[in-house]
Amino acid sequence: MTERGTGWIEVICGSMFSGKSEELIRRLTRAKIARRNVQVFKPRLDDRYSDEEVVSHGGLRLTALAVATSAEVLERTEERTEVVGIDEVQFFDPGIVDVAGHLADLGKRVVIAGLDQDYLGRPFEPVPALLALAEEVTKTRAICVRCGAPAARTQRLVASNERVVVGAAGVYEARCRRCYEPGIATVDGSLPFPDSPE
Ligand code: ADP
Ligand code: ZN
């Protein structure tokens, strides 16, 4: 076993289908190969696939604990755990920022994956704060389904003004800046940005 060193925060962010979960799973799998004690958390809200696993769109899987709050992440992290993985962090309450910092202060490596923008292309809290506080940041890009360019935006395909509409293929697709259509998903035809001048 290695001695406990300095902790830190790594954030993997990007649009849907950009490979965030894949990259998270890759890093945590390598930590396990290095015989680190690894625990993985995900928000309970996200029940697209399994409750006990993080699953990528490409089919990679890793055992995970589904929790309801950021406080539960802290409570359920065991003392012997050296690497803490958190997927879909944008669905956690704002307390996750302090929890991640606390875990890193305890000497743990905290690897976090999440959407950096919502369906309107706005920064998706708490990811912006985590990006600022992290020691290391990786931004992944998908492929634009319209033109094949690298894609950083998530296009919502169903009509809803809710910030959180859980889904994957058929509900969202990856688009580049040029092909992204911000107005397409409004229910009532109003401007999608609440602060936009009429
Ligand atoms: P994320 O966690 O960012 O949503 P995942 O890691 O779950 O992404 O899935 C990434 C995988 O999704 C890719 O390796 C690829 O197999 C698949 N995929 C489906 N659509 C796309 C797309 N438009 N661009 C890139 N990868 C895609
Ligand atoms: Zn495009």
Side-chain angles (χ1 to χ4, degrees), residues 15-22 55-58 142-143 145 174:
S15 67
M16 279 186 69
F17 305 102
S18 65
K20 300 183 299 297
S21 297
E22 248 169 39
V55 185
S56 79
H57 293 111
I143 301 298
V145 298

Side-chain angles (χ1 to χ4, degrees), residues 49-102:
Y49 305 103
S50 157
D51 233 17
E52 280 95 42
E53 288 177 315
V54 167
V55 185
S56 79
H57 293 111
L60 297 179
R61 299 160 175 275
L62 198 66
T63 303
L65 211 54
V67 293
T69 63
S70 62
E72 215 182 325
V73 172
L74 196 55
E75 278 160 31
R76 301 188 74 162
T77 299
E78 293 165 26
E79 202 182 329
R80 65 188 198 104
T81 296
E82 297 163 288
V83 182
V84 179
I86 304 173
D87 199 18
E88 304 277 19
V89 75
Q90 75 280 355
F91 294 144
F92 275 103
D93 55 278
I96 198 71
V97 178
D98 283 345
V99 167
H102 186 65

Side-chain angles (χ1 to χ4, degrees), residues 37-56:
N37 291 316
V38 178
Q39 270 186 284
V40 192
F41 296 96
K42 62 180 222 173
R44 192 178 294 285
L45 148 96
D46 182 13
D47 56 2
R48 275 175 294 175
Y49 305 103
S50 157
D51 233 17
E52 280 95 42
E53 288 177 315
V54 167
V55 185
S56 79

Side-chain angles (χ1 to χ4, degrees), residues 143-151 174-180:
I143 301 298
C144 175
V145 298
R146 284 279 172 90
C147 76
R175 300 256 187 109
C176 73
R177 181 181 289 274
R178 223 157 45 119
C179 296
Y180 173 73

Side-chain angles (χ1 to χ4, degrees), residues 17 119 145-146 154-160 168-175 181 184-185:
F17 305 102
Y119 76 107
V145 298
R146 284 279 172 90
T154 303
Q155 181 77 51
R156 182 178 285 176
L157 303 171
V158 299
S160 169
V171 180
Y172 294 101
E173 65 187 26
R175 300 256 187 109
E181 298 164 282
I184 201 166

